Amino acid sequence: MFLDADDREELKKRFEENLANKVKLIHFTRELDCQYCRETKQLLTELAELSDKIQLEIYNFYTDEDKVREFKIDKVPATVIASENKDYGIRYFGIPSGYEFASLLSDIEMVSRGASGLSQRSIEKIKEIDVPVHIQVFVTPTCPYCPSAVHLAHQLAMENDLITADMIEAIEFPDLAEKYMVMGVPKVVMNDVYYFEGALPERHYVDKVVEAARKTKEALKQQN
């Protein structure tokens, strides 16, 4: 078990106080050739047992092909956090353990509330984005600065349907970490070519994403 008795009691109380509506944890896994699939499934199972407002759905990466396509899952372990009626584009690739457990809890509460918690300035700027933006936040479980970078990315995804945001555990996906030259974490990659490193305040983080969207739009115009 991941959660001891004290953890379980504390989380039960937290969920009772903070969960307004039901939340779906949509998890994709496989039995073979996946270093942390079993552990991730166990962690999510334990978490879902603590509140009747957390609904866990588990799918096989190989056999549940329709669901894999629906949620555009290309690697496992993968976890989608969604409301009963909407997929906000919030993704976890890898086990949300260590410091990233805090991100997971914050995201569950955010989706349950149905509100991102961003400032009005941030919401207005993010709403203006009119091209797809894919945010990948590379983390490690021992990085104390990573949860804020992950949660902010997920807050942005909640405010604009064109934004998808992934937490990617760099140690579990070394090929991706190498592809994007991840030398330190958090590293935030936007649309594969724009990036920044470190945990930025909300205002600066939003400005970076808006700038990446603007450059993406310009590049698309040039192609056409």
Side-chain angles (χ1 to χ4, degrees), residues 1 14 39 45 57 71-72 112 141 143 171 191 202 212-213:
M1 293 183 64
R14 176 171 172 172
E39 290 85 351
T45 299
E57 300 178 8
F71 291 99
K72 298 180 175 65
S112 178
C143 166
I171 297 171
N191 286 353
E202 178 184 316

Side-chain angles (χ1 to χ4, degrees), residues 57-120:
E57 300 178 8
I58 299 174
Y59 298 104
N60 186 287
F61 182 61
Y62 290 128
T63 59
D64 293 312
E65 296 177 0
D66 289 345
K67 287 293 182 181
V68 168
R69 280 194 296 270
E70 177 184 349
F71 291 99
K72 298 180 175 65
I73 302 300
D74 61 357
K75 51 190 170 289
V76 289
T79 307
V80 177
I81 303 180
S83 71
E84 284 192 290
N85 304 312
K86 185 169 182 178
D87 171 18
Y88 291 102
I90 296 170
R91 305 285 188 271
Y92 283 80
F93 292 100
I95 185 169
S97 63
Y99 284 104
E100 282 313 313
F101 189 61
S103 303
L104 179 66
L105 297 179
S106 295
D107 285 345
I108 289 171
E109 292 169 348
M110 175 181 71
V111 170
S112 178
R113 288 193 307 269
S116 69
L118 290 170
S119 70
Q120 192 58 39

Side-chain angles (χ1 to χ4, degrees), residues 78-216:
T79 307
V80 177
I81 303 180
S83 71
E84 284 192 290
N85 304 312
K86 185 169 182 178
D87 171 18
Y88 291 102
I90 296 170
R91 305 285 188 271
Y92 283 80
F93 292 100
I95 185 169
S97 63
Y99 284 104
E100 282 313 313
F101 189 61
S103 303
L104 179 66
L105 297 179
S106 295
D107 285 345
I108 289 171
E109 292 169 348
M110 175 181 71
V111 170
S112 178
R113 288 193 307 269
S116 69
L118 290 170
S119 70
Q120 192 58 39
R121 173 196 182 268
S122 296
I123 291 172
E124 290 172 1
K125 290 182 77 71
I126 290 301
K127 294 289 189 188
E128 292 175 0
I129 292 175
D130 57 0
V131 293
V133 176
H134 178 210
I135 304 172
Q136 299 175 87
V137 185
F138 286 87
V139 306
T140 61
T142 56
C143 166
Y145 306 106
C146 291
S148 64
V150 170
H151 186 56
L152 263 171
H154 290 159
Q155 288 175 285
L156 303 188
M158 192 169 192
E159 291 293 347
N160 190 319
D161 291 346
L162 290 171
I163 299 175
T164 56
D166 307 341
M167 180 216 82
I168 300 180
E169 209 288 287
I171 297 171
E172 290 182 57
F173 300 101
D175 292 346
L176 281 178
E178 182 177 354
K179 175 182 177 181
Y180 294 108
M181 295 182 287
V182 177
M183 307 301 291
V185 290
K187 182 167 185 174
V188 179
V189 180
M190 298 158 288
N191 286 353
D192 290 333
V193 292
Y194 311 108
Y195 69 90
F196 62 88
E197 296 175 342
L200 298 184
E202 178 184 316
R203 184 185 189 93
H204 299 309
Y205 197 117
V206 168
D207 289 345
K208 290 283 190 182
V209 174
V210 169
E211 178 69 6
R214 183 186 65 79
K215 290 180 177 179
T216 297

